Amino acid sequence: VGQLGEAILEEKVLDVGNRPQEAVGGRRRRGGLSDHQVKTAFLMPTLLLLIAWNIFPLLWSLYLSFCSFSATDSQPARWIGIANYHAILNDPGIWKYFSTTATIVVFSVLAQAAIGFSLAMLLNRPFPLKGFVTTLLLVPMMLSPVVVGLFWKYLFDDVNGLMNFLAETVFRQERVQWLSTPRMALTSLVIVDTWMWSPFMMLISLAGLSAVPPHLYEAAEVDRASSWFKFRWITLPMVAPLLLVALLFRTMDAFKLFDLVYVMTKGAPGDSTETLSLHLYRIAFDQFDTGKACALAYIMLVIIIALSNLYVRYLNKVKEGH
Amino acid sequence: VKPWEKRQRIISRICVGLVVVAVLIYMIPIYWIAATSIKPTLLIHSRTPVLFFQPTGEHYRHLLYRTVNIAGRERVLGASEYPERYWNSIVIGGISTFLAVALGTMAAYAFSRFKVKGQSDWMFFILSTRMLPPVVVVIPIFLMYRALGLLDTHLGLILLYTVFNVSFAVWLMKGFMDEIPKEYEEAALLDGYTRLQAFRKVTLPQSVTAIAATAVFCLISAWNEFAFALLLTTRSATTAPPTIANAMGASGLDWGQVAAGAAVFLLPVAFFTFLMRNHLLRGITFGAIKK
């Protein structure tokens, strides 16, 4: 048995009884599949599956995006060039849905970053039940957006909702029509999304905070630096890169916002909360204008791919830095 | 006591107070789901929230049976669809998780231990498949499934969730695999193990925790998935989320029913969150940020 082999035995990683006879005898014998074969056999199923279930359908929908085609029609797809793209980009409605999506993304992601980071600052000190409290705060982001959205709809109910009761009794405000006026419907969506995803920002900020070397603070202490100075010049620069990654991640996610809107408002009142994803769903599965839906899907696809490219690049930078 | 220390103590008290407030804000909606699920229907519709009441199991009973009130007496009409849908969620989530983790672990091993041509491009491709909004992917998948006869089948959703989760599993497992020292395996190879034996008997046992964490994350995302299930199933393979959203939420008034359905649905996830608390950061960032 070689030296390394002995090291393994000592570490009790390997069970002697399970080792092949030849190995115990100390003879070297190679058999079975070569490394190259193992690599191919291990990679192929995953890659083939991903190609069959992603690349192939996406190529098909790329073709369809240049066609006039409806999934409910028996008519075959008819090539119409860029007419679908032309129609979408010239539709003033689309720009409204773009800006609705952007509004939700900007407000909820900023609120999440602010709240999440503040929570992390609060939690970044020893106190009783710290682990339990932290985990408790992380539960919402693991829950199903559909169920969370549906339940918040009850909390936002005009008559029976808890939110209106609180508004009336605690804050002495008039009852708010949370989901039936355009402004408040958007606000409600932002509130629920923020409630769900601030813990995500908190978790990532906590990781950043715990990575700050304590000697930096000690040095600042010696120099009698103010708390603001320590925050501005030590804490913030150390956490910022991670926070930026989280922001990008959430931006991509918020871009897909569908479940929450579907159960809470379905785009109502009017089309004031119609996000891009919801609109795409409508074109594809209400109007069954499949060709046009594919074109819009492709426009969104390009945006998401660009964002995720940015995300991965930034992520690699952060990884190298740590 | 120096004034400086006194100030410090006050600040830390305020912080603890703020934490308590935050926990309250976060827990009130969750508490409210639980409370509503055992609250009599009459009290659910009261204008002022009722905090104390005689708990009732009627909403949970209605998850199992459809009933109707005839002359003040409850008659059972038949089984409700919820248990069946819940079971669909378990089957589809379970099998797809198993497949995704098995495939993902193998692919991650290959990426971690061997030189793969264009590795970073492949990894990016794998990640990008997961980043796509479901609504974007679902249109061609819908057409493909209709042609293959996979619409509204368990197999269709299982395959789709496997694909959806395998990209995640590869990324997460690769992070874990990279942390397992290669030396153990190399020693085993020197001792006459074949590559497959080394993988099975050395690397795999060392990644049990990693595999468990990955599996839990895959299970949760399959469990919570909504858009695909909504658009690709109609009856027989429908999972719990569309059922809760459509069947229960459609009437819009039966909040007790919604709460009971939600409670039963959310409880396993909350449990797993506590189980996975040390791996959450990793899981949610695709294994990119490790503590």
Side-chain angles (χ1 to χ4, degrees):
Chain A
V1 182
Q3 267 191 349
L4 278 168
E6 273 182 21
I8 292 172
L9 284 177
E10 277 169 18
E11 295 245 14
K12 297 207 170 82
V13 174
L14 284 180
D15 185 3
V16 184
N18 279 339
R19 312 177 88 214
Q21 281 301 310
E22 311 91 292
V24 176
R27 262 187 304 130
R28 285 182 186 190
R29 211 195 71 168
R30 276 292 177 87
L33 302 171
S34 74
D35 280 6
H36 186 75
Q37 284 167 321
V38 170
K39 178 172 82 178
T40 315
F42 275 23
L43 278 178
M44 273 310 139
T46 299
L47 296 182
L48 286 179
L49 202 64
L50 283 174
I51 288 168
W53 254 256
N54 278 298
I55 300 298
F56 170 67
L58 285 176
L59 286 178
W60 193 0
S61 75
L62 180 63
Y63 165 69
L64 287 177
S65 74
F66 293 106
C67 291
S68 166
F69 174 67
S70 169
T72 46
D73 245 357
S74 50
Q75 303 247 323
R78 192 166 47 84
W79 184 269
I80 53 167
I82 57 161
N84 283 327
Y85 289 93
H86 195 260
I88 286 173
L89 294 176
N90 280 312
D91 177 5
I94 293 286
W95 298 109
K96 195 185 168 198
Y97 308 143
F98 256 109
S99 84
T100 305
T101 310
T103 311
I104 298 178
V105 169
V106 168
F107 280 103
S108 59
V109 171
L110 286 182
Q112 287 156 25
I115 295 174
F117 184 69
S118 316
L119 279 175
M121 291 290 286
L122 285 177
L123 290 177
N124 193 32
R125 67 189 71 235
F127 61 88
L129 290 177
K130 182 179 166 181
F132 178 76
V133 166
T134 311
T135 314
L136 212 54
L137 288 176
L138 291 173
V139 168
M141 71 175 179
M142 307 302 287
L143 302 178
S144 149
V146 176
V147 179
V148 167
L150 201 57
F151 209 78
W152 271 89
K153 208 174 151 184
Y154 173 48
L155 297 178
F156 280 136
D157 192 272
D158 289 347
V159 182
N160 304 318
L162 190 64
M163 294 296 273
N164 263 343
F165 175 76
L166 291 179
E168 234 179 14
T169 52
V170 183
F171 299 102
R172 301 275 163 200
Q173 295 282 319
E174 283 189 26
R175 283 180 178 251
V176 182
Q177 297 201 304
W178 291 99
L179 294 172
S180 41
T181 56
R183 274 271 295 278
M184 286 320 291
L186 267 185
T187 314
S188 306
L189 284 175
V190 170
I191 291 176
V192 179
D193 200 57
T194 305
W195 181 81
M196 264 193 95
W197 290 104
S198 296
F200 173 78
M201 293 287 188
M202 177 191 95
L203 186 60
I204 290 186
S205 306
L206 271 176
L209 288 176
S210 68
V212 182
H215 67 83
L216 287 183
Y217 289 121
E218 284 153 20
E221 209 68 57
V222 173
D223 289 344
R224 297 183 163 228
S226 68
S227 314
W228 169 249
F229 183 92
K230 279 186 278 183
F231 175 77
R232 174 67 188 80
W233 298 105
I234 301 175
T235 314
L236 212 51
M238 295 293 283
V239 184
L242 275 182
L243 210 56
L244 215 76
V245 166
L247 273 173
L248 213 50
F249 194 86
R250 280 301 303 146
T251 308
M252 279 192 292
D253 251 13
F255 214 80
K256 309 185 221 173
L257 196 65
F258 173 76
D259 311 15
L260 212 57
V261 190
Y262 181 91
V263 290
M264 283 186 67
T265 65
K266 277 221 172 100
D271 60 355
S272 57
T273 55
E274 185 111 338
T275 57
L276 272 182
S277 287
L278 194 70
H279 187 62
L280 179 55
Y281 157 79
R282 270 191 218 291
I283 301 180
F285 294 95
D286 277 353
Q287 305 163 9
F288 275 101
D289 193 343
T290 313
K292 196 176 165 193
C294 288
L296 179 56
Y298 251 86
I299 295 173
M300 289 177 67
L301 198 78
V302 169
I303 299 174
I304 295 277
I305 297 266
L307 278 175
S308 56
N309 208 335
L310 206 67
Y311 170 72
V312 170
R313 230 184 266 174
Y314 208 82
L315 203 62
N316 284 333
K317 240 193 206 160
V318 170
K319 261 182 144 164
E320 280 160 24
H322 267 248
Chain B
V1 183
K2 292 175 202 155
W4 180 80
E5 271 177 31
K6 206 172 164 189
R7 216 184 84 195
Q8 209 66 6
R9 209 177 295 162
I10 291 171
I11 288 177
S12 93
R13 284 239 177 96
I14 292 173
C15 287
V16 170
L18 286 173
V19 170
V20 171
V21 171
V23 170
L24 273 180
I25 291 176
Y26 264 87
M27 287 306 116
I28 284 175
I30 291 176
Y31 164 76
W32 209 243
I33 297 181
T36 307
S37 75
I38 52 169
K39 200 182 273 186
T41 308
L42 263 179
L43 301 181
I44 292 177
H45 290 291
S46 122
R47 218 178 138 87
T48 33
V50 183
L51 284 179
F52 303 100
F53 51 85
Q54 187 78 37
T56 164
E58 58 173 320
H59 306 305
Y60 287 98
R61 231 175 23 248
H62 290 172
L63 285 183
L64 297 174
Y65 306 106
R66 280 183 303 133
T67 55
V68 69
N69 260 324
I70 300 172
R73 283 186 61 187
E74 218 171 56
R75 290 274 192 84
V76 174
L77 279 180
S80 141
E81 58 193 0
Y82 192 65
E84 207 180 301
R85 304 287 167 81
Y86 198 84
W87 177 243
N88 279 347
S89 272
I90 295 174
V91 170
I92 292 170
I95 298 178
S96 67
T97 296
F98 173 78
L99 290 174
V101 172
L103 290 174
T105 305
M106 279 158 52
Y109 178 79
F111 276 126
S112 171
R113 293 298 192 263
F114 305 123
K115 268 215 165 70
V116 181
K117 237 191 209 163
Q119 166 142 348
S120 60
D121 292 332
W122 278 116
M123 287 300 280
F124 177 68
F125 161 67
I126 290 173
L127 180 73
S128 66
T129 61
R130 169 75 180 224
M131 294 296 179
L132 304 177
V135 193
V136 167
V137 194
V138 79
I139 304 166
I141 295 272
F142 176 83
L143 296 173
M144 183 169 102
Y145 272 24
R146 202 173 58 178
L148 295 174
L150 284 174
L151 279 182
D152 200 21
T153 60
H154 288 73
L155 181 66
L157 270 196
I158 289 172
L159 284 171
L160 192 61
Y161 287 176
T162 306
V163 173
F164 177 73
N165 270 332
V166 80
S167 49
F168 174 76
V170 171
W171 268 73
L172 203 54
M173 284 306 298
K174 173 155 190 304
F176 280 119
M177 290 268 183
D178 285 344
E179 278 170 22
I180 299 172
K182 275 183 186 174
E183 283 73 23
Y184 294 126
E185 232 180 297
E186 278 160 10
L189 288 175
L190 282 178
D191 280 353
Y193 276 61
T194 65
R195 184 53 92 160
L196 271 182
Q197 283 170 329
F199 169 69
R200 238 184 43 230
K201 291 183 177 154
V202 182
T203 312
L204 224 43
Q206 283 178 296
S207 19
V208 169
T209 325
I211 290 173
T214 309
V216 168
F217 279 108
C218 290
L219 193 62
I220 289 179
S221 49
W223 185 254
N224 286 346
E225 206 288 323
F226 172 67
F228 289 129
L230 174 76
L231 299 169
L232 298 176
T233 64
T234 46
R235 283 188 71 85
S236 63
T238 306
T239 52
T243 312
I244 298 175
N246 286 341
M248 295 180 183
S251 56
L253 288 170
D254 200 352
W255 294 115
Q257 191 72 71
V258 170
V264 175
F265 185 75
L266 300 179
L267 198 68
V269 178
F271 169 74
F272 276 125
T273 305
F274 270 86
L275 205 67
M276 280 298 112
R277 61 188 175 278
N278 295 326
H279 297 287
L280 280 176
L281 182 64
R282 229 175 197 215
I284 210 129
T285 57
F286 284 69
I289 301 174
K290 299 148 193 168
K291 235 176 203 167

